[in-house]
Amino acid sequence: LGPLETTGLAFDAMWVVGMSALQWPPAPRPNPYLPRNLQRRLRMPHAVVEWEREAAVRRLARWRHSARDLHASFVDRQDESRVPVSPLLRNWEQASGKASEEIDQRWLAQREHITKTPISLAEVPLGSAERARKHVAAGMLQEMAACPFQAFASRRLLATPRQGPVSGLSPGERGALVHDALYRIFGVIVDSAALREQDPPALTALITEAVTGALGTLSDERRELVGPAVLQLETARLAGLLGSWLDYEKQRPGSFTIAEREATREISLAGLTLRMRLDRVDKLHGGARMIIDYKSGRGESISRWFSSPPSRPQLPLYGLLEPPADAIAYATLAPGDQGFKGVGAESFVAGVSDDLAKTSRNPDIAGMNEARTFWRESLAGVAQDFAAGRADVDPSTEACRYCARHALCRIAEHLE
C-alpha cells in the first residue's frame, strides 16, 4: 500500500520501507500548473519543505495508532555512499543484532525447479473461419520465415505491441507519405514521354502539390502534435527525395507506361487467400510488365528472395501473380542508393538482372519460370506451416530485433 492508502485502516503489524533521510519527509512537489511563488506564499500542499515535514509527522502518528507493531526500514547505501535514517525516526528503537548475509536456501531450491524450456504450444490448425480471412500476405509469410511463433502471435493471437512514443513522424508515417505522393505524381505523369516533357518549374509545382496532398492526409490532431517545424522539414525532405527520383527515372532507357498504381491483388497458397497491394506496375517497350515496390530507405539484397524459404517474400509473391510479370524490382529512392534492384526475363533497366542462376546462387534457377517454381513451392510450404498451426520458437538472427513479444515466447530462457 502507498501512504495515502493506509488512511483509516487498522493492522496487526505494519512495516514501512524507504524511510531514509532522502525519502522521508518527501521532497516538495509543487503543482506544475500553478505559479510556484504563489504556492510557497500560501503554503499549499506539497509546495514547501515545512508542509511536507508536518505532513510526514502526522502520517507517522497515524501509523502508530493504526498498528500494534510498527517497523521501519531503509537502504543505507546509495551509489557507494552512506545514507542516514530519516530525522523523524532517530528516536525510534533500533533493531538489535546484525542481519544475516547468508542466502536463504529456499530461494536456491526454488531456482532449481524453474524450467529452462520455452513455451510450447500444441499445433492448432486454422479453422474454416480463419482460412476465409484474408491475411496480409507479405507480412504473414515474412513473419513465418523469420519465426513461426512470431507469425502465430501476430496473426492468430493478435498480440500487436503498442507503438512507443516517437519524436516527430514515425518511420511508418514517413514511408506512407512517400507512397502517397508518388501515387499522386504518377496519376498525372502517366508515361515516360510525359515525364521527359515536364520542364523543371512544372515538375517542381507537381511535386509540391503531391507533397501537400500527402501531408494533408495526416489528421489535424497528428499535425498539431507533430508541430509546424517538423512538417516543414518533412515537406523539404519529400520534395528533395521525389525530385531526385524523378530525375533518375527520366534517364531510364526505353519507354514505359504506368499501367497500375496501388492495385489490390489476391493469390491462393495452401488453401489460404492472401491479399497484397502493388505499388506500381509498368508496361515496358515490347509489352513486357514490371512490378515495382517502392523503398524509401536503403534497398535490401535481392539474394533474400532465394533463401529457403525466402526471408523477404513480398516480391517473390508478386512474381506468382497471373499473368506472370516479366520482371519484379525494388525501386530504391534513398540518395546514394537510388535505382532498381530485381530480376527479370531481360535486363529491362539497370539493376534488373537476367542472370538468375548467378543472382540466386542456384544453377537450377536459370530464368523466371524456374524462379517462380521455386517461389511457389517454398512459399506454399510456409503458408502450409501457418495453416497447420506451427508456432515453435525458432527465430532467425534478426527476427527478435523488432518483435517485442519476448514475454510470450520466453526467448531469453530458450537461449540459456
Side-chain angles (χ1 to χ4, degrees), residues 241-260:
L241 188 73
L242 298 174
S244 179
W245 175 250
L246 293 177
D247 287 340
Y248 179 86
E249 290 230 53
K250 280 185 179 181
Q251 311 304 318
R252 280 177 57 176
S255 62
F256 63 88
T257 300
I258 312 299
E260 296 179 86

Side-chain angles (χ1 to χ4, degrees), residues 204-258:
T204 299
L206 177 59
I207 292 172
T208 301
E209 182 180 356
V211 170
T212 302
L215 288 169
T217 61
L218 295 173
S219 66
D220 293 340
E221 180 183 8
R222 192 75 182 108
R223 293 172 66 87
E224 182 178 0
L225 182 63
V226 169
V230 170
L231 294 177
Q232 289 174 6
L233 287 172
E234 185 62 16
T235 299
R237 183 190 79 90
L238 286 172
L241 188 73
L242 298 174
S244 179
W245 175 250
L246 293 177
D247 287 340
Y248 179 86
E249 290 230 53
K250 280 185 179 181
Q251 311 304 318
R252 280 177 57 176
S255 62
F256 63 88
T257 300
I258 312 299

Side-chain angles (χ1 to χ4, degrees), residues 15 27 51 87 89 99 109-110 117 165 168 179 182 205 228 299 323 334 359-360 378 383 386 393 408-409:
W15 193 303
W51 190 95
L89 274 65
Q110 186 188 59
T117 304
H179 281 67
L182 285 168
T359 302
S360 65
S378 56
F386 179 80
V393 180
L408 285 178
C409 69

Side-chain angles (χ1 to χ4, degrees), residues 388-408:
R390 182 185 169 196
D392 47 308
V393 180
D394 185 20
S396 64
T397 54
E398 62 178 21
C400 300
R401 183 178 300 173
Y402 304 110
C403 179
R405 300 179 183 89
H406 306 155
L408 285 178

Side-chain angles (χ1 to χ4, degrees), residues 352-375:
V352 172
S353 172
D354 58 358
D355 189 351
L356 274 73
K358 179 179 179 180
T359 302
S360 65
R361 299 177 183 176
N362 185 340
D364 294 330
I365 302 178
M368 291 295 289
N369 289 335
E370 292 81 2
R372 277 189 281 268
T373 299
F374 170 78
W375 291 331

Side-chain angles (χ1 to χ4, degrees), residues 55 62 65 76 86 120 127 147 177 187 197 221 231 242 250 254 278 282 288 293 299 301 309 355 360 373 394 401:
R62 292 194 186 100
H65 290 90
D76 65 353
S86 167
S120 178
C147 175
L177 290 173
E197 290 172 0
E221 180 183 8
L231 294 177
L242 298 174
K250 280 185 179 181
L278 313 182
D282 280 8
D293 187 67
S301 172
D355 189 351
S360 65
T373 299
D394 185 20
R401 183 178 300 173

Side-chain angles (χ1 to χ4, degrees), residues 133-274:
R133 187 183 305 154
K134 293 179 174 59
H135 297 275
V136 178
M140 182 272 284
L141 293 177
Q142 185 164 319
E143 288 169 355
M144 277 297 295
C147 175
F149 183 87
Q150 185 180 115
F152 175 83
S154 171
R155 306 292 166 172
R156 301 192 68 187
L157 300 183
L158 304 181
T160 303
R162 172 172 290 191
Q163 182 179 352
V166 295
S167 178
L169 296 169
S170 69
E173 287 175 319
R174 298 177 77 192
L177 290 173
V178 171
H179 281 67
D180 190 294
L182 285 168
Y183 177 83
R184 295 168 185 271
I185 288 172
F186 287 113
V188 176
I189 299 175
V190 297
D191 55 29
S192 54
L195 176 60
R196 291 163 186 156
E197 290 172 0
Q198 292 278 335
D199 57 31
L203 195 57
T204 299
L206 177 59
I207 292 172
T208 301
E209 182 180 356
V211 170
T212 302
L215 288 169
T217 61
L218 295 173
S219 66
D220 293 340
E221 180 183 8
R222 192 75 182 108
R223 293 172 66 87
E224 182 178 0
L225 182 63
V226 169
V230 170
L231 294 177
Q232 289 174 6
L233 287 172
E234 185 62 16
T235 299
R237 183 190 79 90
L238 286 172
L241 188 73
L242 298 174
S244 179
W245 175 250
L246 293 177
D247 287 340
Y248 179 86
E249 290 230 53
K250 280 185 179 181
Q251 311 304 318
R252 280 177 57 176
S255 62
F256 63 88
T257 300
I258 312 299
E260 296 179 86
R261 298 172 297 140
E262 301 292 334
T264 301
R265 291 287 184 272
E266 292 182 354
I267 190 172
S268 179
L269 283 178
L272 293 179
T273 300
L274 307 177

